[in-house]
Amino acid sequence: MTGMTGMGFEDRVTALELDVQSMKIIVGMVDNKVERVRADVRHAQAANTRMIQAMRDDMTEFRQEVSARFDSVDARFEAVDSSLTHIDARLDRVDSRFDAVDSRFDAVDSRLDRMDSRFDRMDSRIDEVVSLIRGMADGRAQGVTSVN
C-alpha cells in the first residue's frame, strides 16, 4: 500500500483493477491446471480400474486353468490307481496259482517220501536176502571143503 500513496485515486483503482484482473487470470490458470489434474486423476483411476479388472480376469482364468490341470492330474492318478488295482488282482490270481503249484509240489514231495520209505524197506529186504544167500553160500562152501 505504501507504493500507492503518491498516486491519485483513479490511478490507484486502475492499478487495483489491473491487480484483480491479473489475479483472476492467475486463478483461471490455476483452475485450468486443477481441472487438468482432476482429468488426469480420473483417467488414471479409470486406467487403474481397467488394469485391476484385467488382473482379476487373468487370475480367474489362471485359477480355472490350474483347477482343470489338477482335475486332469486327479483323473490320471485315478487311472493309475485303477491299473494298479487291476495289477494287484492279477498278482493275487498268480499268487493263488503259485499256492496251488506249491500244494502240488508238497503232494509230490510226500509221495517221494513214501517211495523213499518203500525203497528203504526194499533195501533192507534185499540186504536180508543177500545175507541169507551169502550165509547159504558160506555153508555150502564149508560143506564142500568138509566133504573133500
Side-chain angles (χ1 to χ4, degrees):
M1 296 241 166
T2 57
M4 289 193 196
T5 53
M7 294 172 72
F9 179 74
E10 284 186 19
D11 289 336
R12 281 193 237 162
V13 169
T14 304
L16 285 175
E17 285 177 345
L18 288 175
D19 286 346
V20 168
Q21 189 65 26
S22 294
M23 283 191 228
K24 284 182 182 180
I25 292 171
I26 291 171
V27 167
M29 288 177 12
V30 168
D31 282 347
N32 189 21
K33 285 183 181 181
V34 167
E35 280 304 312
R36 278 187 281 159
V37 168
R38 282 184 182 157
D40 288 346
V41 167
R42 281 193 299 268
H43 289 297
Q45 286 174 335
N48 285 343
T49 301
R50 286 190 304 273
M51 285 176 38
I52 289 170
Q53 187 58 46
M55 288 175 61
R56 284 182 180 155
D57 293 346
D58 288 347
M59 287 303 294
T60 300
E61 183 179 335
F62 177 73
R63 284 183 185 136
Q64 290 170 347
E65 288 176 7
V66 167
S67 180
R69 286 182 183 174
F70 275 116
D71 290 345
S72 173
V73 168
D74 283 344
R76 287 180 183 172
F77 276 124
E78 287 176 14
V80 168
D81 188 45
S82 176
S83 294
L84 290 175
T85 301
H86 180 70
I87 289 170
D88 195 34
R90 291 175 80 186
L91 290 174
D92 285 344
R93 287 193 303 270
V94 168
D95 195 34
S96 69
R97 287 181 182 171
F98 277 122
D99 287 345
V101 168
D102 194 34
S103 174
R104 287 181 182 169
F105 279 137
D106 287 343
V108 168
D109 191 40
S110 181
R111 285 182 184 169
L112 289 175
D113 285 345
R114 287 192 306 267
M115 287 174 64
D116 195 34
S117 176
R118 286 182 185 166
F119 283 134
D120 286 345
R121 284 191 306 244
M122 288 173 65
D123 280 344
S124 176
R125 287 184 185 162
I126 290 172
D127 287 343
E128 287 176 16
V129 170
V130 168
S131 178
L132 284 173
I133 292 174
R134 285 190 182 147
M136 289 173 56
D138 286 341
R140 285 188 186 163
Q142 288 177 358
V144 171
T145 53
S146 59
V147 173
N148 285 343

